[in-house]
């Protein structure tokens, strides 16, 4: 083929590749900018193509706990599901629970395999130490991180709720009906409060009563402020009155209550920080020390007194953990 034709073909291919790359880049920037305009997680998920029903099902985390469990396991499963909802993770509950169950087992058998490959004798004491390390590294620490994220989200929810009431009151005074004022919160408020009111609007859209949808939100977050909001709406709907003025007074009460809670938290901060350190330090020290020097535990695991002493130590830690949590759990 003529070299001139080859050169022209190469230029056309380069031109087409550049045009294609520019088009991909422009589409990516447009999508990123559109997602950036979404102020909360619900709007971002809808902007990515999910339907309102699918988004509501994922974020609300409709209970997937099987019926017939013992009361203790049922309570733990419900608390775990509520914690996942408060972290605003979109991973299905079943998949995450399976991961938290399988990951420690895989790590446990991996370490046992490495010990067998290294020619170490596997005794019951060493199996106990390895099982504890696998449970701490692959289950306990991830659960602590999830609980930390859920606590942070809950604190943001408590801080944003009075602001959301103010926005709701301004919407009512501007002439919007209750449904339109709630819909205003879904596009004006950031996470997590914007997403949660968005779920309320979605539930109402799919046929639920407004009072039931708001009550469901209050039960999901277990917040007294939300329950007072639901009661205020219910009383106003039955007896009448100026709803804007009622909610404005409620916002002031919630702010004063939140101010008192902050004072209590400030006065008890030393004790709470001590509780956190005493709870995390033994677990973190064990995990780090086993990673850096596993023989520190494995060499003494064959001693006959190791297993009773180790189990007694774990029992003391559990008693101390529960006692400390109850001591710093101050109700306001």
């Amino acid at each position: 083929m003529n070299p001139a034709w080859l050169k022209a073909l190469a230029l056309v291919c380069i031109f087409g590749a550049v045009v294609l790359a520019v088009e991909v880049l422009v589409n990516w920037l447009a999508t990123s900018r559109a997602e950036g305009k979404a102020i909360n997680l619900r709007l971002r998920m809808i902007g990515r193509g999910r339907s309102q029903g699918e988004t509501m099902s994922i974020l609300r985390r409709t209970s997937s706990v099987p019926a017939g469990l013992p009361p203790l396991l049922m309570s733990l499963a419900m608390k775990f599901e509520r914690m996942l909802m408060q972290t605003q993770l979109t991973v299905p509950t079943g998949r995450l629970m399976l991961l938290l169950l399988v990951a420690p087992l895989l790590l446990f058998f991996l370490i046992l395999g490495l010990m067998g490959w290294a020619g170490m004798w596997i005794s019951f004491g060493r199996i106990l130490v390895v099982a504890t390390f696998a449970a701490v590294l692959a289950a306990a620490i991830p659960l602590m991180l999830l609980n930390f994220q859920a606590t942070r989200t809950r604190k943001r929810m408590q801080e944003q709720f009075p602001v959301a009431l103010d926005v709701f009151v301004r919407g009512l005074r501007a002439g919007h009906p209750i449904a339109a004022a709630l819909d205003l919160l879904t596009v004006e408020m950031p996470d997590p409060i914007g997403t949660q009111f968005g779920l309320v609007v979605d539930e109402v859209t799919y046929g639920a009563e407004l009072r039931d949808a708001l009550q469901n939100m209050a039960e999901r977050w277990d917040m007294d402020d939300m329950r007072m909001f639901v009661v205020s709406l219910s009383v106003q709907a039955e007896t009448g009155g100026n709803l804007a003025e009622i909610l404005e007074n409620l916002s002031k009460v919630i702010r004063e209550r939140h101010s008192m809670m902050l004072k209590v938290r400030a006065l008890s901060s030393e004790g709470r920080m001590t509780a956190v350190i005493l709870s995390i330090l033994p677990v973190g020290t064990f995990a780090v020390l086993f990673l850096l020097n596993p023989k520190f535990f494995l060499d003494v695991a064959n001693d006959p007194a190791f297993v009773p002493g180790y189990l007694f130590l774990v029992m003391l830690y559990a008693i101390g953990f529960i006692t400390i949590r109850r001591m710093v759990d101050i109700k306001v």
Side-chain angles (χ1 to χ4, degrees), residues 155-220:
K155 289 179 181 178
R156 288 201 303 270
M157 190 79 171
Q158 292 174 342
E159 294 171 357
Q160 291 176 338
F161 193 69
V163 180
L165 286 182
D166 292 341
V167 175
F168 185 68
V169 168
R170 287 197 295 268
L172 292 177
R173 287 180 172 170
H176 295 291
I178 293 179
L182 283 177
D183 191 61
L184 185 65
L185 296 176
T186 66
V187 296
E188 295 292 338
M189 297 296 297
D191 280 327
I193 193 77
T195 295
Q196 296 306 313
F197 275 108
L199 295 180
V200 171
V201 172
D202 290 340
E203 288 185 28
V204 173
T205 303
Y206 280 91
E209 293 290 336
L210 177 60
R211 179 168 39 184
D212 295 337
L214 290 171
Q215 184 65 37
N216 292 336
M217 182 179 69
E219 293 301 327
R220 285 197 300 268

Side-chain angles (χ1 to χ4, degrees), residues 128-129 131-133 286 297 305-315:
L128 188 61
V129 172
T132 304
F133 172 74
F286 171 76
F297 296 101
F306 175 79
V307 174
Y310 186 78
L311 295 177
F312 182 69
L313 182 65
V314 172
M315 183 183 67

Side-chain angles (χ1 to χ4, degrees), residues 6 26 35 38 57 65 105 110 157-158 164 184 188 280 288 324:
L6 289 176
V26 169
E35 292 183 357
S57 176
V65 179
L105 293 176
L110 177 63
M157 190 79 171
Q158 292 174 342
L184 185 65
E188 295 292 338
I280 295 179
V288 173
I324 291 173

Side-chain angles (χ1 to χ4, degrees), residues 73-317:
L73 292 179
M74 178 68 71
S75 176
L76 292 175
M78 296 297 291
K79 288 182 179 180
F80 178 72
E81 195 167 50
R82 177 179 294 173
M83 180 184 67
L84 293 182
M85 186 275 302
Q86 293 180 355
T87 57
Q88 293 193 305
L89 290 176
T90 57
V91 182
T93 304
R95 186 183 304 173
L96 192 57
M97 292 182 66
L98 181 63
L99 182 62
L100 289 174
L101 290 175
V102 171
L105 293 176
L106 292 178
L107 183 60
F108 172 73
F109 287 112
L110 177 63
I111 296 175
L112 287 184
L114 292 176
M115 290 172 59
W117 178 74
M120 297 182 65
W121 180 47
I122 300 177
S123 62
F124 179 73
R126 289 180 173 177
I127 291 177
L128 188 61
V129 172
V130 172
T132 304
F133 172 74
V136 167
L137 190 64
I141 292 180
L143 284 176
M144 287 181 180
L145 295 176
L146 289 174
N147 185 58
F148 175 74
Q149 179 63 29
T151 303
R152 288 185 59 186
T153 307
R154 183 180 176 83
K155 289 179 181 178
R156 288 201 303 270
M157 190 79 171
Q158 292 174 342
E159 294 171 357
Q160 291 176 338
F161 193 69
V163 180
L165 286 182
D166 292 341
V167 175
F168 185 68
V169 168
R170 287 197 295 268
L172 292 177
R173 287 180 172 170
H176 295 291
I178 293 179
L182 283 177
D183 191 61
L184 185 65
L185 296 176
T186 66
V187 296
E188 295 292 338
M189 297 296 297
D191 280 327
I193 193 77
T195 295
Q196 296 306 313
F197 275 108
L199 295 180
V200 171
V201 172
D202 290 340
E203 288 185 28
V204 173
T205 303
Y206 280 91
E209 293 290 336
L210 177 60
R211 179 168 39 184
D212 295 337
L214 290 171
Q215 184 65 37
N216 292 336
M217 182 179 69
E219 293 301 327
R220 285 197 300 268
W221 288 87
D222 192 21
M223 287 178 56
D224 294 332
D225 298 342
M226 291 184 180
R227 293 190 178 98
M228 288 190 290
F229 174 59
V230 176
V231 170
S232 300
L233 287 179
S234 302
V235 171
Q236 191 274 338
E238 293 177 1
T239 63
N242 190 344
L243 181 59
E245 184 178 353
I246 294 173
L247 295 181
E248 187 176 10
N249 294 331
L250 177 61
S251 177
K252 293 179 181 178
V253 171
I254 292 175
R255 279 191 167 90
E256 292 175 359
R257 182 171 177 270
H258 186 63
S259 177
M260 183 180 296
M261 290 178 61
L262 290 178
K263 291 179 181 179
V264 173
R265 289 180 62 85
L267 293 174
S268 62
S269 58
E270 182 180 356
R272 290 186 293 104
M273 184 56 64
T274 303
V276 171
I277 293 175
L278 291 178
S279 300
I280 295 179
L281 188 60
V283 177
T285 303
F286 171 76
V288 173
L289 192 57
F290 191 92
L291 282 173
L292 297 178
N293 186 17
K295 291 185 178 181
F296 181 84
F297 296 101
L298 297 178
D299 288 345
V300 300
N302 295 326
D303 193 285
F306 175 79
V307 174
Y310 186 78
L311 295 177
F312 182 69
L313 182 65
V314 172
M315 183 183 67
L316 287 179
Y317 175 78

